[in-house]
Amino acid sequence: MNFNCWFTEIHNNNISFSVRVKNILYIGKSKYQEIVVIDTYDFGRALILDNTFQTTERDEFIYHELITHIPLFTHPNPKDVLVIGGGDGGTVREVLKHPVERVDFVELDEKVIEVAKKYLPKLSCKIDDEKVNLIITDGIKYVAETDKKYDVVIVDCPDPVGPAKGLFEKEFYKNVFKCLKEDGLMVQQTESPLYDLELIKNIAKYLKDAGFSIVMPYSYPMPTYPSGMWSFTLASKKYNPLKVDENKIKEKLKSMETKYYDEEVHKGIFLATPKFLKDAVKF
Ligand code: SAM
């Protein structure tokens, strides 16, 4: 039998991206979302939440390395890290390549963790590490209530809809600022520069208003996300990613395996920020 099955993500009713499916591994529903894992011909296994690609085995390294190593190499000595979202485990896996002491991993949906552990072991392989403290709760509520202080906060969130909407709002950034140490920094997934420029502009404004002195978006290719061009935004109280000593990164990378990130990418990704994106966040 020739199994000719395709998964199509439709973006804003007008654009779609399709992959041919080899096998459907899991379909289920949690309290928060519909969860699907498929095996595809060209992208390996893919996690889909509410019909939206979250991650695929083929291109996840681009996203997870850049959301993690840029902030963790910008901070000179990150020990306490908070990851919000990121239920597939890819970000936690990358964080643990650094000599951190503790990772508080705040994910809303324990079903995503359970499914990732079973079907996406390449990503979820470090979730049960002894340094990881998994907290199943809403990240918005967590940062509003916690007394803990972190060196780095990483917000590995989906699109700003449903329970993730508040992760893109003013109040959230004020609370993240509050739970960072005085030289702390944060990074967040901030959507497509091409399709969501207004959102990125608002996020940058909220971050500045929250008190961060350095706010810098960075963009990169992401084949399975709408427009193929994606962004993170770094917000820092003190450290500037462009002032990091490349030689120190190079030295540390000798004992760390990466596929996308290196000391040249660390600065180059900011230096190559497209003009329209830089202009959008100039105030
Ligand atoms: N890389 C992905 C992207 O750009 O779409 C995000 C991947 S990760 C699977 C996103 C996770 O954020 C999901 O597992 C979801 O359950 C979680 N999430 C959504 N809203 C959240 C919230 N308010 N607090 C904590 N986690 C949340």
Side-chain angles (χ1 to χ4, degrees):
M1 190 185 79
N2 187 9
F3 185 63
N4 198 15
C5 171
W6 291 74
F7 171 78
T8 297
E9 176 179 332
I10 296 173
H11 183 71
N12 285 349
N13 290 325
N14 295 323
I15 302 154
S16 70
F17 173 71
S18 300
V19 291
R20 190 163 166 227
V21 178
K22 218 188 251 185
N23 203 354
I24 300 165
L25 301 172
Y26 179 84
I27 300 185
K29 219 174 159 66
S30 72
K31 215 157 93 188
Y32 303 102
Q33 52 213 340
E34 186 178 81
I35 305 170
V36 172
V37 182
I38 52 176
D39 193 12
T40 73
Y41 278 91
D42 286 303
F43 283 92
R45 292 185 176 188
L47 173 68
I48 294 152
L49 299 179
D50 288 339
N51 294 311
T52 307
F53 276 104
Q54 299 294 304
T55 192
T56 80
E57 283 180 335
R58 184 149 191 201
D59 63 0
E60 61 89 9
F61 71 99
I62 309 174
Y63 179 100
H64 291 122
E65 288 188 18
L66 292 176
I67 199 172
T68 303
H69 302 310
I70 299 272
L72 290 186
F73 277 113
T74 295
H75 193 291
N77 190 23
K79 292 292 172 207
D80 297 315
V81 178
L82 170 64
V83 174
I84 296 176
D88 50 71
T91 295
V92 164
R93 180 197 66 202
E94 292 303 311
V95 171
L96 288 178
K97 291 181 180 173
H98 293 255
V100 296
E101 280 169 8
R102 181 171 62 107
V103 185
D104 285 342
F105 178 19
V106 175
E107 161 63 52
L108 180 70
D109 193 345
E110 63 184 333
K111 193 79 193 161
V112 176
I113 304 264
E114 190 188 308
V115 168
K117 279 192 189 170
K118 181 150 186 207
Y119 297 102
L120 300 165
K122 290 180 188 159
L123 286 95
S124 60
C125 51
K126 294 286 179 186
I127 291 179
D128 289 330
D129 189 281
E130 57 181 16
K131 287 184 181 173
V132 178
N133 174 30
L134 177 62
I135 305 164
I136 300 295
T137 192
D138 187 330
I140 302 160
K141 186 169 167 279
Y142 181 82
V143 293
E145 292 173 0
T146 187
D147 292 330
K148 288 187 189 165
K149 302 278 182 210
Y150 296 92
D151 296 307
V152 174
V153 175
I154 301 178
V155 189
D156 181 1
C157 53
D159 297 335
V161 288
K165 194 167 177 287
L167 295 169
F168 293 80
E169 289 170 2
K170 238 186 218 174
E171 201 53 31
F172 174 69
Y173 300 121
K174 283 192 200 160
N175 287 325
V176 173
F177 188 89
K178 178 205 73 174
C179 70
L180 280 167
K181 295 179 192 168
E182 59 189 29
D183 61 349
L185 55 98
M186 71 164 283
V187 71
Q188 182 176 15
Q189 181 286 109
T190 48
E191 305 286 298
S192 162
L194 215 54
Y195 295 161
D196 307 298
L197 198 59
E198 208 45 40
L199 174 76
I200 296 173
K201 196 173 171 168
N202 287 336
I203 293 168
K205 188 169 180 324
Y206 298 157
L207 288 165
K208 281 262 175 197
D209 291 349
F212 289 100
S213 55
I214 296 162
V215 176
M216 294 165 78
Y218 52 105
S219 64
Y220 52 94
M222 205 52 209
T224 50
Y225 290 168
S227 86
M229 180 190 195
W230 215 247
S231 76
F232 295 128
T233 299
L234 179 108
S236 174
K237 293 187 180 184
K238 181 173 174 188
Y239 304 115
N240 184 327
L242 290 172
K243 299 218 168 115
V244 177
D245 180 350
E246 280 118 309
N247 290 323
K248 281 197 182 144
I249 301 180
K250 208 171 167 184
E251 197 46 43
K252 289 182 190 165
L253 283 174
K254 282 185 184 157
S255 56
M256 193 185 289
E257 206 178 303
T258 56
K259 278 208 286 186
Y260 197 96
Y261 176 89
D262 68 10
E263 69 283 359
E264 289 176 353
V265 168
H266 183 94
K267 289 191 181 172
I269 203 161
F270 291 101
L271 296 174
T273 299
K275 184 172 178 302
F276 75 95
L277 179 53
K278 272 190 298 214
D279 287 349
V281 298
K282 246 181 221 156
F283 302 111

